[in-house]
Amino acid sequence: MTFYNDIYPFYPLQRTSFIFSTNLLTVILVFLVLAAAFLLILPGIRGKSRVLWTFRIIISLYVGVVIVALNFTGDWAEGILRANATYKSFSSAVVSAEVGLHVGLGGINITLKGHPVRQLNETIDYNEMFQWTGKLDDDYADALERGLPNPILYIAEKFTTNSPCGLIYQYRYSGRFASATLWTAFCCWLLANILFSMPVILYAGYMMLATAAFIFSAMASFSTIYNLPQCSFTIGTETFQTIYSHSFWLALATGAICAVIGVLVVLLYCTIPEKMKEAFSVGVDGDDDDMYLGAGYLNSSFLTEVSTDGVMAKGRRVDPLYISKLSERL
């Protein structure tokens, strides 16, 4: 497609700007349903245990939804600037716009929003996604055919395999390893929740520590994008580089919460194991299990031709000699 007399190519269909990731929305809705289901059963829990159960449910679901959602967020690192830039190729038309690069574990989002939005008789509000799962070179070629604005094409070209910056190798592999590590952390989180419901609370604490360790490992894996010299992005006369953003710091906070919970559980279990079992309602026997069978009267007719070797009283074994003496008295 060519340019002639300042006539630019347009999208064949009206496009809308990016609003919310459908995968991220699905994750949030699933965990909201789980939270509502657990909260509905809280009125059936009596006493002080209700407060502990509420705390456990909220913290556990928060950790779970964050670990899963971080795989689909697009703001682990980002760079934003506002500049005057050439709008389209083969044209001297300049627009004032905010350009943003948002890096996630699965790809990048490049945004372009005009200030004001309506300029050159067009609505300048773009959000283009380039994912690692596909061939980014093909996506870039498709963007060229569609005639996307120059700032978007300039940034996308930096992530192609032919770019001297080599950004695709840094970001793609770091994102993939970080995502795989986060899914491992999610598995550890599931195991921790299962173990918290069993008389092995100590191992549940270990699994929370493992969850924290894998979250920190995911952060370390993503941080390797800054091991090599950074490639600057120049739009007009302005230059920017990517820095850590919301998802990265959210992962740090969640990993710290898991580490604190794991350390507290391990320390408290080693010092007051019985109270910990009582708090988590596991491995606690009722008082009726310690009942003692005292002296009493037995009907001798029931003892006829009955072996007393395996007779058990509730809570303890009855001595066969004791039963024999009782039968002689009758």
Side-chain angles (χ1 to χ4, degrees), residues 7 15 64 119 169 173 178 195 204-206 229 237 247 285 290 321:
I7 299 177
R15 293 174 62 89
Q119 298 182 52
Y169 302 107
Y173 294 113
L195 295 175
Y206 289 153
T237 59
S247 293
D285 297 330
D290 297 327
L321 182 58

Side-chain angles (χ1 to χ4, degrees), residues 14 39 64 67 90 132 140 154 171 185 234 261 276 296 305 320:
Q14 181 65 33
L39 292 177
I67 292 175
F90 303 102
W132 310 136
Y140 175 70
Y154 166 75
Y171 285 77
T234 303
I261 293 175
M276 285 293 292
E305 298 180 358

